[in-house]
Amino acid sequence: MAKQAPDFANRPDNTAFTQQRLPAWQPMLSAGIVIPGFVLIGLAFIGIGVALLVTSQSIQVFEMDYTGVGNNHPCFHCSDPKPKPCVCKLNFTIDFFLKGPVFFYYGLSNYFQNYRKYSVSKDDDQLSGNLKNFESPSDTCSPYQRDNNKPIVPCGSIANSMFNDTFKLYQNVNATMKPVNFDGKGIAWWTDYNIKYRNPDTTPLRNAFNNTVKPIFWPVPAYELDPKDPANNGFINQNFLVWMRTAALPDFRKLYARINDPPYAEGLPAGSYMLEIQYNYPVLAFGGTKKVVFSNVSWMGGKNDFLGIAYLVIGTLCVLMSIVMLIVYAKFKFPEED
Amino acid sequence: MLRRRLNRLLGGDERRVDSRTIYVGHRSSSPGEPIIKFCDNRIVSSKYTVWNFLPKNLFEQFRRIANFYFLIIFLVQVIVDTPTSPVTSGLPLFFVITVTAIKQGYEDWLRHKADNEVNKYPVTVLEQGERTRKDSEKIKVGDVVEVEEDETFPCDLILLQSSRDDGTCYVTTASLDGESNHKTHYTVSDTEKDLETLNATIECEQPQPDLYKFVGRMHIYKNDQEPVVRSLGPENLLLKGATLKNTQRIYGVALYTGMETKMALNYQGKSQKRSAVEKSINAFLLVYLCILVSKALVCTILKYVWQSRPGQDEPWYNEKTQRDKETNLYLKMFTDFLSFMVLFNFIIPVSMYVTVEMQKFLGSFFITWDKDFFDPEIKEGALVNTSDLNEELGQVEYVFTDKTGTLTQNNMEFIECCIDGFQYKYRDASSELDGFCVADGPVNKVQEKAGRAKEELFLRALCLCHTVQVKEPTEQGPVDGLMDQVDAGVPHPPQEQRGFIASSPDEVALVKGAMRYGFTFLGLESRNMKILNRNNDVEMYELLHVLTFDPVRRRMSVIVRSNSGDTLLFCKGADSSIFPRVRQEEVERIRMHVERNATEGYRTLCVAYKYLSAEEFAQADAGLMEARLALQNREEKLLAVYNQVETDMSLIGATAVEDRLQEEAAETMEALQGAGIKVWVLTGDKMETAKSTCYACRLFQRSTELLELTVRTLEDGGRKREERLHELLLEYHKKAVQDAPPLKGGITRTWSSETQDYGFIIDGATLSMVLNSSSESNSSRYKSLFLQICQNCTSVLCCRMAPLQKAQIVKMVKNSKGNPITLSIGDGANDVSMILEAHVGIGIKGKEGRQAVRNSDYAIPKLKHLKKLLLAHGHLYYVRIAHLVQYFFYKNLCFILPQFLYQFFCGYSQQPLYDAAYLTMYNICFTSMPILAYSLLEQHICIEVLLDNAALYREIAKNGMLRWRPFLYWTLLGVFHGLLFFFGVRYLFSNPALQDNGQVFGNWSYGTIVFTILVFTVTLKLALDTRHWTWINHFVIWGSLLFYVFFSFFWGGIIWPFLKQQRLYFVFANMLSSVSAWLVIILLILLSLLPEILLVVFRKPRGPNSRQPVESNAGGHQSPRSTAQPLLMKTFSDESNTVI
């Protein structure tokens, strides 16, 4: 009856939503789902774990500390911060064929690149080639903002403390030192040296740095970082970029170079080598150490057993738990199915 | 608020005077007198003006402790060099403050609009004999105002002149107290002649909020005569907000204006009730605040310990700035502490408050929307007056219910009467209405028993002794608004030509009852009551006085003069108040009937009369006039005269009126008891009536042993009442408390048949003895004994309660051990006190006006709706909000814990682990919507099961999900997850070369991996907890995760010009290019959730049962006995009459 309509003007809408009757899926985690689920997850995890562990084990690593602690360490004479420059030569033997491509890392310990004041001490605008920030670097760079009233470019603690040891590797072949070429390209993120960090458009590059000074601890200005390759200078020098990406933890390693020039592209053959280190970077003052690492990588990155072990443990646990559950439910005769 | 403001306005000399003088039409008799300024007629309900909105609103918002805390954090960030920018906490705070300000501003704008509508309403004022139109706000005290039909009164007026001949006008006060009946108001006699020349002053009390009280006096000065004095009472006062009905036009003099009107004085914010959940939140907040402070302290201390080691304070690569070096060490420590606080402050999220508020606000709509609460009879659904208490509905331990109108329908039907000791049963009520006019047939025999004279006297008494109005026939054109306001209880209006309007349904039932026996009340015409008698003759009685009803006397009388000149007094009232005032030999004949009727569940009234001789009448008349003129203690004086007049009457008979039980009252009560809720019936009714209601509602079972503590049992022993009380209390205590088997955890007890049920009955007089015992020491002892007995009884019946006593009882239980959550439900003005007192107040949209509804937190149309409100809505709301709160604390704990742990790896330098965008967005965008959707839609057990299985309610009793144990569980879960996230990634980063090209990840990658695991884990944890997946849940859960991924791409995909540091540039994309990162994310998410899944599975055997309807001893068996066999009653008690 049409007349009835106004009577129910106040009646609440009878929709599924207002009546809290929306169709709903009500998942129940029953044993029938969970036990097979656990078994599946467990098996998958064990599989992944095995793959990870095997991969990780297959990665070859050769590590050397060269801080120079101890009288008989070849770098001992350099660990004293006074005389500079100092070169130390590290002879070592690799007993196995280090399969290529080989990556060469340097590592520092007890070095807090993630210290808050340190990690903000840079000027991203300057580093993206903004000439205005060449004249007046950001305040965050303090205390490496200006030197004698001249702006420091690149400013800030991070740039100032850039790792400046240099390495040369020689293979000792029948007492002759055969140099192994380091390739310093491709060690930084592609986006860093193509987009995020930019040199000013000025040519030559050094003109942009007029009226600025180099960071206090640097031996050379930014536009002369790589004397061999002019394209690898300024803010897009790859070693600089690697350094500027601050490490997450106080013990870290950073990529220095790749060895991919023939004949070493296939790997470093077993044999004796000599690493010539230009030892500039003091670490003993803050109780740190330095090391170099030769390593090859796999699809999962560098060698790290943690993931593989963790996957294996969790996978095993899952399978065990499903067995326990099976026993429990067998005893209780699957009460939910009654 | 308004009251305070008013007091300020009133300050000064006016406050000291307890009456005010008003010159009608501003014509002062002695021109020299100073004219006192009264406030103008502007109504101000708004809080702000355009100018003070911003400062005042901000001030009020920052008075909230949470907002203040966030403001402090923000200020610290601005002032001190802190790790995160002020934006991270400023933005959410700004958002919250703005949204709240906009909401409050809008509400205030609405109030302004409403105020303006009232204030600018054009009214007609008589000035110097001319009618002028002005805005309502311009009315001054003393103005003579004209009001036309259907207009509302612009201020409180004294009625001077009415367009009706008899000097009356009709008024409805629907907007004031919800009573839609027409009330008659009277002009002041001698004023109706000529308003222009009227020279009068009014002396009256200062404004006070009681709508039904007013005393005043009018002095009318006529040329050279002694001034005439007239008394003024509430019947002369027209209240602002009431509407003029059935009267073309009236003139009145403004008495109280603006904020001094009774309506404005009654407008006051209700006291804020805080829910138990909120108390839990505050307690948890405190814990988290402690965690926050201790984290900051630990970090600060460790920082300085660490820095004291050689070489660590200032390594060469990280030189300090000049300013840093110069800063005082202790100042540095302090700022470091503040920095840590800022870094960890996200552990107490501003968004939780917003989400909780939103959940409550939006959630309450489900109550309003529920069509099960819609009552086709009154065409209304449930009403939510406050959404703050939704979850409290799931926590109720005690229900205090009114009887009349709540347990019973308050829909009265005349059942039988007893005249002179003979029973008259009216049968076949619906079919033959007029069949009784002529005395014949089998009924006739019965009727003959008492003799015609007695019968007719009795019926005349029923016709005359009342305050019922006849609904005027709608002959004078379209008078709308009248038709729909007839007594809503008229079940079959077509047959009964006449509509009666009365404040109490009993009276209508009686008048209708008399009509069936042939005596029809035709109405009141200029103080003459017209009755159509059996012979279809119209009898006229002049109405001389009405001795109004009040709950103390429990009776009312009229004094009328018949055509023959006899002056008669008719009185009707409760047996207890009539019997002592009539001759004892008459009582014995009637008492039996009254008691039988009472036990059958009828409301009984006794009717008595008396002839007044001329002297007696003259004396009474004078006494009444004098008392009515009194300015002070008018009520007391009137009462004295009433008591003096109502003596030596003759009892003629008694009536029995049936009040049916509410629909499904018994089922509802049974469900409540099954839910472990104790139901107390608090009624003003007498014990027998109330007891039979309790049996009918199955609050008392046959097996229930009743412990009675009433005046009757106290007098049994023949000793002093006090001694007997002491003795009985101890005896009952022994029975119910000491001998009872020890309860396991209070309400978790099952009401199985093995344990003896006890019911406890107490009446008002005894209660006041218990509460106000003569000696102080006894009083507290009795009180605790009484409470202990009551708490061990399944149901308690308190009868003969005054409204205030009801509130006293609620308060007593509320403050007893364990602070149980109480709920009061009632429908009448007499329940308002207990509704306001209880944690949750529920109003029934009944027939006794709307006062209960207005003062309640929730209003429902019928008692039966209480079951769903508590068992389904309350339960769900509680589970939802409890989960919401716990989840919020959990997700912020595992959010901030990795950041805390990171401090150990970054030299305690306050380095944030996550990017500022993530810190800000985590609570606002990434994890807020799923929990909001959950907290609105979750039904961990579906509604039908909750309703069928009342025992489920007990599972969440006593704040079960927000006690320390579950809180500890959630906290530990948060800690576990936080540790897992941080250290899982930490071990992955022991070799940061995670990509297949040998490149390494930095600290922002680290943070992003942790954050990704975090967002996914907390969202999936919620997904695991969700038992009720609607499309909305799917949408927001998966949508949030997708949004996070897209946002991260977007945020890292662009060089943002406004950012100083492009920290996250391509970090997320690079992370996804690393297989190891993927694997660790999957591993840690699964590992975090595994224990949760295991727990769910192992807890399972209990799980499924609760989701299926199970026959339980609590709500399973529904015996057919209930509504069909109701017959509950009530005497003419205080409850029936709301015109106080």
Side-chain angles (χ1 to χ4, degrees), chain B residues 1019-1040:
Chain B
T1019 308
L1020 291 177
K1021 156 80 180 135
L1022 185 69
L1024 264 186
D1025 289 341
T1026 305
R1027 289 273 156 276
H1028 192 80
W1029 284 81
T1030 65
W1031 64 268
I1032 300 173
N1033 294 87
H1034 281 290
F1035 180 74
V1036 292
I1037 287 182
W1038 311 126
S1040 286

Side-chain angles (χ1 to χ4, degrees), chain A residues 120-123 126 137-145 152 154-157, chain B residues 321:
Chain A
V120 296
S121 187
K122 59 173 180 171
D123 184 348
Q126 193 186 59
S138 157
D139 291 340
T140 52
C141 289
S142 175
Y144 302 106
Q145 191 180 9
I152 298 175
C155 71
S157 301
Chain B
T321 56

Side-chain angles (χ1 to χ4, degrees), chain B residues 576-794:
Chain B
S576 60
S577 65
I578 297 282
F579 286 168
R581 303 183 163 267
V582 297
R583 281 188 286 280
Q584 283 313 298
E585 65 271 18
E586 291 165 339
V587 170
E588 293 317 312
R589 274 181 285 165
I590 305 264
R591 188 197 290 275
M592 189 189 81
H593 286 274
V594 172
E595 280 178 1
R596 184 177 48 79
N597 282 337
T599 42
E600 274 175 26
Y602 299 125
R603 297 153 69 96
T604 55
L605 280 183
C606 294
V607 183
Y609 84 107
K610 137 189 199 184
Y611 278 103
L612 290 176
S613 63
E615 307 89 70
E616 272 176 317
F617 174 68
Q619 197 191 343
D621 191 42
L624 287 170
M625 286 310 236
E626 189 193 335
R628 279 187 188 145
L629 274 182
L631 263 187
Q632 253 111 42
N633 301 334
R634 185 180 284 178
E635 274 83 36
E636 287 85 346
K637 284 177 186 164
L638 275 175
L639 204 63
V641 181
Y642 289 166
N643 283 337
Q644 187 199 330
V645 177
E646 290 164 338
T647 44
D648 295 327
M649 299 179 289
S650 339
L651 191 62
I652 12 180
T655 59
V657 171
E658 180 192 335
D659 187 5
R660 283 176 198 277
L661 268 194
Q662 285 279 8
E663 293 167 53
E664 295 171 35
E667 286 86 343
T668 308
M669 289 301 131
E670 211 166 40
L672 293 186
Q673 289 200 328
I677 301 172
K678 298 190 179 177
V679 182
W680 291 31
V681 178
L682 308 183
T683 177
D685 219 336
K686 58 183 177 190
M687 195 191 88
E688 294 75 18
T689 320
K691 203 157 91 180
S692 52
T693 310
C694 287
Y695 274 114
C697 292
R698 275 179 267 170
L699 286 173
F700 294 159
Q701 312 271 358
R702 281 185 215 297
S703 59
T704 308
E705 187 179 337
L706 294 182
L707 310 176
E708 208 178 303
L709 196 66
T710 57
V711 176
R712 206 177 66 191
T713 53
L714 289 186
E715 279 169 351
D716 268 356
R719 264 176 299 155
K720 269 182 72 187
R721 281 185 177 191
E722 288 261 336
E723 287 170 29
R724 182 78 184 133
L725 174 73
H726 185 80
E727 200 180 289
L728 274 176
L729 269 176
L730 285 180
E731 184 192 323
Y732 291 158
H733 185 261
K734 189 168 179 312
K735 221 185 239 178
V737 183
Q738 291 163 3
D739 294 354
L743 307 183
K744 280 179 215 145
I747 27 183
T748 45
R749 167 182 171 189
T750 48
W751 310 112
S752 60
S753 50
E754 299 122 51
T755 47
Q756 172 67 49
D757 282 354
Y758 291 104
F760 191 71
I761 303 175
I762 190 167
D763 63 4
T766 321
L767 182 75
S768 63
M769 277 175 67
V770 171
L771 296 183
N772 317 313
S773 181
S774 46
S775 66
E776 199 53 43
S777 58
N778 270 357
S779 175
S780 58
R781 172 132 182 272
Y782 286 170
K783 214 163 144 179
S784 79
L785 278 179
F786 169 65
L787 258 178
Q788 285 178 31
I789 298 170
C790 288
Q791 281 163 353
N792 278 19
C793 290
T794 46

Side-chain angles (χ1 to χ4, degrees), chain A residues 213-229:
Chain A
V213 293
K214 64 180 173 55
I216 294 162
F217 292 172
W218 284 22
V220 289
Y223 48 86
E224 286 170 4
L225 278 173
D226 189 348
K228 287 180 213 147
D229 182 0

